[in-house]
Amino acid sequence: MKWKQQIHDMKAYQPGKPIEEVQREYGLDKIVKLASNENPYGFSPKVKAFLESDHTNHAIYPDGYAQILRTAVVEHLGVKETQLIFGNGSDDLIAIVTRALLYPGVNTVMAKPSFSQYSHNAEIEGAEVREVPLKDGKHDLNAMLEAIDENTSIVWVCNPNNPTGTIVSDEELSEFIQKVPQDVLIVLDEAYFEYVNAPEYKNTLHYVEENSNVIIMRTFSKAYGLASFRVGYAIANEDVISKLDPVRAPFNNTVLSHKVATIALQDQGFISECTEKNEKGKLQFVEFCEKHNLNFYPSQTNFILFEVKADSDLVFKEMMKRGFIIRSGKALSAPGYIRVTIGTEEQNAEFLHLLEELLKEQGVLA
């Protein structure tokens, strides 16, 4: 087989363990998954009501232009139809962008650790990956600027960043965008932006109007609770969208995903309710870390990355045995840390109680 040289020894993306597998492996009745940053409160009741009465004909191809959803997003954001592109989740959008702009001889700049799919897709296309270490858990924008040269095609800013949950302030971002060359696409990945409440984080839509080389990615998988429906979207200059759209698969969303995302978008009250509960849940983790003198990153998302002062793979496995699926920091370039999705108040309390017992067993806590 004449495989691409780049895919030799490449590993597939490793998601959090599925609930059913953990139940079988450990013989558990109840499993709480806090590994993939899903919304623990599910999706809008309006979506639930729709699904219970839906009679969609699934034998018919979906609208490749996603007109129903496109119109809803236009009304919600105040952008033009021609400034939008939809994907099968943000992962699909990342693949579209890299396929269109990356190839052998060019490079792409990103933070490390950040979302793994930036580098993964770049490697598939044969581009050089330039990873710039985070500084105090945040993007080191000055170092990223230094990494850009005449062969740079894309620079990625995950804001808030996954896995640290930290943000780039609007002031920092504005200065950065002004300094990036016009022929370099700046990708602002804002998968968690609904959760942000920091005053220094501003709505970024105006950057698309002011700069022809900025694209913003958002998703319905996180705050909207529609992860299994796989809907992401991006906003950019019309010329950028016109170049990306031919790379997109013709029917990369489903009829059902278009409908439920449209309904979910209209229930902003549900989003507000979820983000308020998330803030209270986040406080439970912060108080735990402060009580036990464990370092943590100030998260503006629905997850938190914090120190356990123990082998993070061991903590990951032991917490699975106790019915909680989380992510080991070792898999996220943060050994000695774990990343935990913020669950409901009850889930958080039970998790932290069990974690405290485990860390005492490991001699970490007195």
Side-chain angles (χ1 to χ4, degrees), residues 20-40:
E20 296 77 11
E21 182 181 337
V22 176
Q23 282 179 314
R24 280 196 309 272
E25 187 173 349
Y26 297 108
L28 298 169
D29 294 325
K30 188 185 82 168
I31 298 292
V32 178
K33 187 185 176 194
L34 300 177
S36 302
N37 310 332
E38 295 129 334
N39 188 337

Side-chain angles (χ1 to χ4, degrees), residues 9 11 19 66 77 80 86 108 116 129 146 155 159 177 192 204 278 294 310 317 324 333 342 352 360:
D9 302 319
K11 294 181 180 179
I19 291 172
L77 298 180
K80 299 175 184 175
F86 293 89
T108 179
S116 63
V129 176
E146 291 176 4
V155 58
N159 195 26
I177 290 173
Y192 299 93
T204 53
N278 183 73
L294 300 172
K317 291 173 183 175
F324 282 87
S333 301
I342 297 164
L352 292 170
K360 284 180 179 177

Side-chain angles (χ1 to χ4, degrees), residues 158-177:
C158 188
N159 195 26
N161 186 47
N162 180 7
T164 56
T166 54
I167 58 168
V168 172
S169 72
D170 187 64
E171 183 179 354
E172 294 169 321
L173 184 61
S174 177
E175 184 179 349
F176 177 75
I177 290 173

Side-chain angles (χ1 to χ4, degrees), residues 90-126:
S90 293
D91 303 294
D92 186 30
L93 295 170
I94 292 167
I96 290 169
V97 167
T98 54
R99 189 178 181 191
L101 283 161
L102 297 183
Y103 44 87
V106 302
N107 67 69
T108 179
V109 175
M110 64 200 68
K112 181 180 176 70
S114 194
F115 189 43
S116 63
Q117 292 303 287
Y118 310 148
S119 59
H120 181 82
N121 281 280
E123 288 168 6
I124 290 173
E125 299 305 329

Side-chain angles (χ1 to χ4, degrees), residues 241-293:
I241 296 297
S242 69
K243 292 291 193 302
L244 294 176
D245 215 23
V247 183
R248 178 183 60 83
F251 307 109
N252 60 338
N253 291 128
T254 67
V255 175
L256 196 56
S257 63
H258 288 163
K259 290 182 178 180
V260 297
T262 299
I263 294 167
L265 192 64
Q266 295 164 355
D267 192 356
Q268 291 301 307
F270 174 75
I271 299 300
S272 297
E273 182 182 334
C274 290
T275 54
E276 287 173 12
K277 289 178 179 177
N278 183 73
E279 282 303 304
K280 293 177 182 177
K282 191 191 305 178
L283 187 59
Q284 290 176 270
F285 285 89
V286 170
E287 289 175 346
F288 178 86
C289 291
E290 291 178 341
K291 173 185 174 183
H292 296 297
N293 195 30

Side-chain angles (χ1 to χ4, degrees), residues 41-52 263 267 270 273:
Y41 306 104
F43 43 66
S44 164
K46 294 182 180 180
V47 172
K48 184 172 185 282
F50 165 75
L51 291 172
E52 289 173 348
I263 294 167
D267 192 356
F270 174 75
E273 182 182 334

